[in-house]
Amino acid sequence: MLTILAYGCLLLLFIPKINLISVAGENAGLRIDDFMIACFAGWLLLARRRARVSRRLEYLFGAFILAGVASALLNGSSLLYVLRPIEYFMFFYAGAVLCQRVRLDRIIAAWLIVNAGIMVLQSTGLVGAFSIGTYVEASTDRVMGVTGGPWEISALLNLILACYAFGRGVRQVIRNLVIGLLLLSLVLLTGARSGVAAHVFLLACYLLYCCFHKTTRVKAAVFSGLALAGTVALVLNSEPLQARTGSLFRSQNLAYAAEVYAKTDVSLGTKVDINTVAATGFALDPEKYDISWVVRMQKWSYVAKCYQSQDPLRWLFGMGPGVWGPAVDGGWLRMITEHGIVGTGLFLAFLLTLGAHNRMLLACALVLMLNMCFIDIYLAYKMMSMFFFIAGFSHAQERLRPSLRHTVAPTPVPATAVTASP
């Protein structure tokens, strides 16, 4: 029964988000996923004993949730944003259950094939997408696969690169660099600049990882140079990216940020709609400023000034999860202002503990942290469900491996979850 439920969670990773019941003021409503996971939750918790999940990880994540509850009660904010991470964490247990039955590299490959196909069709205008749970007509400008937006699918492609960016053999290096470039071409289709930046950064880290390892140094350096040249060529020739980056590096943007912060009035506190703040009060000149930067500066200035004006208790526990509505467009700023120093510290401790003894999970955590700079990615359902599924799978596999060495009957678990593909 437990295995069947875990496969049900796995299936949810492949289907789009479809709202069954809309929630006023929120982009995401109640989906079939929510009902399924609510029914599965009790059974999935049984995976704790079977997979020998680390109690320290559970305690840290539980403490993060409790800090969110305390912040919500302190500020009278909605508990909806506290329940979301609990729902996402159920995928951790689903991954832990399936770690002895399927191969992670095959799951990732299947997910990638499905989404790559949909993204190509979306880029040609043949199919639409379920943006924020509602079907929208085809748009060839920015693709999103089965996720809620181009920013989310780009972060997921970063996550997949983190899973592949390991392996010291020359053949593995060649394969992983080719996969990295193919993934980059898909990220470029989304036009998500933060996703492209994170992807290039991860590729650069992998190139250094290859070049400084003595057994593959010379050959890997050659292929790394070719991969770097291919990366630069892809980025420079990406039309969706060029269309959105023309005014990003102008000096006026920095001057504008200082001006916005100085003029921002926070007398209304959290009673104001953060998106209304971003849309009024300052002129948006696309010929002079980067619009995405301008909108972020308006939101961030208001949020930061509001938080700065709070009493020390709210610095510690935040102003309440979800107080800023659907999007602040900055995950770290959102987390520290909503969850406070305590909640943010517990979340960071969870991520670092998760990757402490597993380089792949450390890379996955790095992907999450990078994307949180400009996106509220830790609240994104598809991204976090995949992140926790990979984390639970890899973590449980690593903890079970010593006991499996003394077992005769079961099929042996691959030494490396992703790089062991045939």
Side-chain angles (χ1 to χ4, degrees):
M1 180 63 178
L2 190 57
T3 303
I4 294 173
L5 296 180
Y7 275 115
C9 286
L10 176 60
L11 178 63
L12 294 177
L13 298 176
F14 288 80
I15 61 176
K17 299 182 292 185
I18 303 174
N19 285 342
L20 296 180
I21 303 173
S22 298
V23 177
E26 299 293 338
N27 288 335
L30 294 177
R31 306 173 294 258
I32 189 173
D33 311 52
D34 302 313
F35 293 108
M36 289 180 65
I37 294 171
C39 295
F40 295 173
W43 289 95
L44 287 172
L45 288 173
L46 296 176
R48 298 168 68 251
R49 295 185 62 183
R50 179 183 293 190
R52 301 180 184 179
V53 173
S54 167
R55 295 294 180 266
R56 185 178 181 184
L57 280 176
E58 291 183 320
Y59 293 153
L60 283 171
F61 192 79
F64 168 69
I65 296 299
L66 288 176
V69 171
S71 180
L73 295 177
L74 175 66
N75 295 280
S77 60
S78 171
L79 288 173
L80 175 63
Y81 285 83
V82 181
L83 296 175
R84 280 185 182 180
I86 300 175
E87 177 182 339
Y88 304 158
F89 195 71
M90 291 299 104
F91 285 88
F92 185 92
Y93 295 125
V97 170
L98 295 178
C99 75
Q100 299 178 66
R101 291 167 175 80
V102 293
R103 287 177 51 166
L104 183 59
D105 58 333
R106 292 181 178 176
I107 293 173
I108 290 176
W111 185 92
L112 182 58
I113 290 170
V114 169
N115 277 272
I118 294 174
M119 291 172 72
V120 170
L121 291 174
Q122 289 173 341
S123 68
T124 59
L126 294 176
V127 298
F130 282 90
S131 177
I132 61 174
T134 304
Y135 186 78
V136 294
E137 295 297 327
S139 172
T140 59
D141 296 334
R142 302 181 68 188
V143 301
M144 59 188 73
V146 299
T147 70
W151 46 270
E152 188 175 14
I153 189 68
S154 67
L156 274 161
L157 293 169
N158 296 162
L159 188 67
I160 291 177
L161 175 63
C163 293
Y164 277 109
F166 291 94
R168 298 172 179 175
V170 175
R171 290 184 179 180
Q172 288 180 318
V173 170
I174 297 172
R175 185 202 67 172
N176 293 345
L177 290 176
V178 170
I179 290 173
L181 291 177
L182 291 175
L183 290 172
L184 177 60
S185 66
L186 293 175
V187 175
L188 291 171
L189 284 178
T190 69
R193 295 175 296 186
S194 58
V196 172
H199 207 86
V200 172
F201 179 79
L202 288 168
L203 274 176
C205 290
Y206 185 57
L207 297 183
L208 291 174
Y209 173 77
C210 295
C211 292
F212 283 97
H213 193 270
K214 60 182 180 180
T215 61
T216 58
R217 185 175 297 162
V218 177
K219 293 181 179 179
V222 174
F223 290 112
S224 297
L226 294 174
L228 182 60
T231 300
V232 173
L234 282 173
V235 171
L236 293 179
N237 291 282
S238 169
E239 291 184 8
L241 193 65
Q242 289 177 353
R244 303 188 66 240
T245 314
S247 56
L248 178 61
F249 299 104
R250 294 178 180 174
S251 59
Q252 296 98 316
N253 289 318
L254 292 177
Y256 183 85
E259 178 187 356
V260 169
Y261 188 84
K263 292 182 178 179
T264 297
D265 178 17
V266 295
S267 58
L268 293 177
T270 59
K271 295 179 181 180
V272 70
D273 181 356
I274 192 68
N275 292 298
T276 303
V277 170
T280 59
F282 299 94
L284 302 180
D285 185 357
E287 298 298 326
K288 188 176 181 181
Y289 303 108
D290 181 79
I291 299 301
S292 179
W293 173 264
V294 166
V295 171
R296 279 183 168 84
M297 287 305 99
Q298 292 172 357
K299 289 184 179 182
W300 292 359
S301 295
Y302 194 90
V303 169
K305 271 196 167 182
C306 263
Y307 180 71
Q308 186 182 13
S309 66
Q310 301 298 308
D311 58 79
L313 183 63
R314 285 179 172 77
W315 287 359
L316 288 175
F317 292 98
M319 301 169 67
V323 70
W324 300 121
V328 174
D329 295 328
W332 288 116
L333 179 62
R334 179 177 191 132
M335 177 166 284
I336 198 167
T337 56
E338 292 189 350
H339 290 264
I341 297 172
V342 172
T344 305
L346 289 169
F347 185 75
L348 268 173
F350 171 79
L351 293 180
L352 295 177
T353 301
L354 187 65
H357 305 293
N358 189 312
R359 284 179 295 182
M360 187 187 82
L361 293 185
L362 183 60
C364 290
L366 177 61
V367 165
L368 183 62
M369 290 189 283
L370 287 172
N371 278 277
M372 281 180 65
C373 292
F374 295 97
I375 310 168
D376 305 345
I377 200 67
Y378 73 98
L379 293 174
Y381 166 61
K382 289 294 182 182
M383 172 64 181
M384 295 309 296
S385 58
M386 178 66 87
F387 173 82
F388 280 124
F389 182 87
I390 292 171
F393 192 108
S394 185
H395 171 76
Q397 187 179 65
E398 184 175 313
R399 289 176 66 86
L400 285 169
R401 192 176 296 134
S403 63
L404 290 172
R405 293 195 186 109
H406 304 287
T407 307
V408 178
T411 303
V413 178
T416 306
V418 172
T419 57
S421 61

